[in-house]
Amino acid sequence: MEQTWRWFGPDDPVKLHEIRQAGATGIVSALHHIRYGEVWSIEEIEARQRIIGADPSLGLRWSVVESLPVAEAIKLGEGDLTQLFDNYRQSLRNLASCGITNICYNFMAMLDWTRTELRRVLPGGATALRYNAEEVAAFDCYILQRPDAEADHRPDVLERARAWMKKASESDKHNLLATIMAGLPGAYERYDVPGMRTMLKRFDGITRDDLRANYKRFLEEVVPTAEELGIRLGVHPDDPPFDVFGLPRIVSTAADIDFIVGAVPSKANGITFCTGAFGAGPANDVPAMAERFAPHIQFAHLRNVLKEPDGSFMEADHLGGDVDVVKVIRTLLAEQARRKGAGEDDWRIPFRPDHGHELLNDGERGTHPGYPMVGRLKGLAELRGVMMAVSAIDHQSR
């Protein structure tokens, strides 16, 4: 499997030579400075490629786009979307003309991944990302004051949410909003509380079925073009894989993936398999999902979570937590071997170590939340070791 690393561009505190030292050769990047819905020009794409390939001795290439964003108007099905669909297709054409054919995107309404703590301290001083159900409820019900929000939260969670509000300072409330927004590391726009209320009003009345219909329309508009270009589109699952702030989630379960790959059947219409995002769903059997949908996996994010009964979860070590990552890796390696045996040109499945703990001097570097240098290096080394061991064992057993 191709070892890749998410890099946020020239301003990323993690440098390209450090990524090579970690063992990755594929760069996962995006043009975050371009407004959602606008065309990614060939000039902009080539400029990023030149930066990535500036030192040929590193052997780096722009392997995966993460993400080519979907404009909110498309998710809403709002107004005349002709230009937005044209722009998305043109961006696909431009990427393909530059040799980039693996595209990750998501269809999460309004927000990307959502957490309430960015630095939960662990034994020894490392820090982790965490989702606390009571803090989400406190924000939803008593800061955002979304109508009827209390009905979406468990009574015990609401009780703890009220207790949190009683002791929270204005600074605590501001920091909670900033933490929720941190899941949009490349977003063009972020929201304050009034802005979130305004945006939520646009989604008011949009049901799960409505969002699914809008997503199906998006697939119908862009997948044929992707197929013509030899592009593989991989949708990232919702994170967390359940409704947040009343926003429906539609890429969260095995049933959701069945709907997606069946909506527009094509090799170009696949998934980015994120073990952490799927792993936060209590009903998701992640290894079984990997095996079931292996032919549709275009890209893999490998990380782990520890779940709690109230819906809270914390990001664990890459090989710790609730998800049997070793079993998932064995499935991915078997699928890659199948593709190679079938003579497919793009048989390699790129993967990256997803969110890592901040370790050692990571906290001093100013990296994006969830994307430390040392923590991800450790995760990549562990994952690489598992892959080598599984490959050796499977080879000996044949």
Side-chain angles (χ1 to χ4, degrees):
M1 294 174 67
E2 182 186 14
Q3 299 174 53
T4 70
W5 188 279
R6 191 170 190 184
W7 185 63
F8 292 96
D11 295 330
D12 194 324
V14 177
K15 304 306 177 187
L16 291 170
H17 70 272
E18 294 175 311
I19 294 172
R20 188 63 186 89
Q21 288 177 35
T25 55
I27 298 298
V28 178
S29 196
L31 303 180
H32 294 303
H33 59 285
I34 297 178
R35 185 186 291 270
Y36 289 13
E38 293 185 358
V39 174
W40 287 17
S41 69
I42 289 175
E43 292 75 20
E44 290 278 8
I45 296 165
E46 288 180 337
R48 179 60 54 86
Q49 286 180 309
R50 283 193 296 272
I51 295 170
I52 292 170
D55 183 350
S57 71
L58 298 180
L60 301 177
R61 72 184 186 104
W62 190 358
S63 174
V64 181
V65 167
E66 185 180 349
S67 296
L68 183 59
V70 179
E72 293 300 316
I74 291 175
K75 299 172 190 176
L76 286 157
E78 190 175 69
D80 183 358
L81 300 175
T82 304
Q83 190 63 57
L84 287 174
F85 287 131
D86 285 346
N87 288 354
Y88 205 94
R89 287 188 289 261
Q90 189 58 51
S91 293
L92 293 179
R93 294 187 188 98
N94 293 345
L95 285 162
S97 73
C98 294
I100 304 172
T101 56
N102 197 315
I103 315 295
C104 172
Y105 70 100
N106 74 68
F107 213 80
M108 286 182 260
M110 188 172 151
L111 298 173
D112 207 298
W113 59 265
T114 302
R115 302 291 186 271
T116 63
E117 282 187 82
L118 301 180
R119 291 179 175 84
R120 167 61 71 93
V121 179
L122 304 174
T127 64
L129 300 177
R130 183 175 169 84
Y131 178 100
N132 293 314
E134 71 273 13
E135 291 178 345
V136 170
F139 185 85
D140 192 18
C141 300
Y142 310 124
I143 298 175
L144 190 59
Q145 297 178 350
R146 182 172 62 87
D148 302 319
E150 291 191 353
D152 292 340
H153 302 277
R154 292 173 22 160
D156 60 317
V157 170
L158 284 173
E159 183 177 348
R160 298 202 311 276
R162 287 189 286 267
W164 186 91
M165 283 295 297
K166 285 181 180 178
K167 67 179 183 179
S169 66
E170 289 305 310
S171 177
D172 291 333
K173 297 172 188 177
H174 174 79
N175 289 338
L176 181 56
L177 170 64
T179 300
I180 290 168
M181 289 295 104
L184 297 166
Y188 195 89
E189 294 179 324
R190 297 175 188 271
Y191 308 108
D192 55 13
V193 170
M196 283 192 72
R197 289 175 182 149
T198 298
M199 193 64 189
L200 283 170
K201 285 181 181 178
R202 290 176 65 187
F203 279 96
D204 190 34
I206 299 288
T207 66
R208 174 182 171 82
D209 287 343
D210 294 331
L211 194 58
R212 266 192 168 188
N214 295 340
Y215 185 23
K216 185 173 187 290
R217 180 184 175 190
F218 168 77
L219 293 173
E220 290 168 342
E221 291 279 356
V222 304
V223 168
T225 299
E227 189 168 13
E228 290 172 13
L229 297 167
I231 280 177
R232 287 193 169 195
L233 294 169
V235 64
H236 189 285
D238 303 324
D239 186 9
F242 42 79
D243 295 0
V244 180
F245 306 132
L247 296 166
R249 300 294 211 182
I250 59 169
V251 191
S252 296
T253 66
D256 292 335
I257 303 305
D258 262 334
F259 171 83
I260 292 162
V261 299
V264 182
S266 169
K267 183 179 177 180
N269 178 26
I271 57 175
T272 293
F273 197 86
C274 180
T275 53
F278 283 132
N284 286 338
D285 183 337
V286 179
M289 290 174 70
E291 187 170 356
R292 178 175 173 183
F293 298 110
H296 304 284
I297 296 174
Q298 322 287 38
F299 180 33
H301 291 179
L302 301 178
R303 63 178 174 86
N304 223 317
V305 294
L306 282 165
K307 298 186 292 293
E308 297 170 22
D310 68 354
S312 301
F313 60 87
M314 186 171 71
E315 302 203 358
D317 289 324
H318 285 77
L319 301 182
D322 299 331
V323 179
D324 188 342
V325 172
V326 175
K327 197 169 184 179
V328 172
I329 287 173
R330 175 168 264 124
T331 295
L332 295 174
L333 289 171
E335 172 60 19
Q336 185 174 259
R338 183 198 67 77
R339 295 178 189 183
K340 185 177 182 181
E344 297 184 22
D345 293 335
D346 50 354
W347 55 270
R348 285 185 179 84
I349 300 174
F351 80 96
R352 66 172 178 83
D354 205 3
H355 303 169
H357 293 167
E358 286 191 343
L359 307 175
L360 303 177
N361 70 336
D362 274 333
E364 302 168 8
R365 298 182 66 120
T367 51
H368 290 288
Y371 293 95
M373 177 66 215
V374 180
R376 284 187 291 165
L377 183 152
K378 175 177 177 283
L380 179 58
E382 292 172 343
L383 297 168
R384 182 167 57 234
V386 168
M387 290 175 187
M388 293 182 69
V390 167
S391 296
I393 292 168
D394 288 353
H395 179 74
Q396 291 171 3
S397 66
R398 285 197 288 268

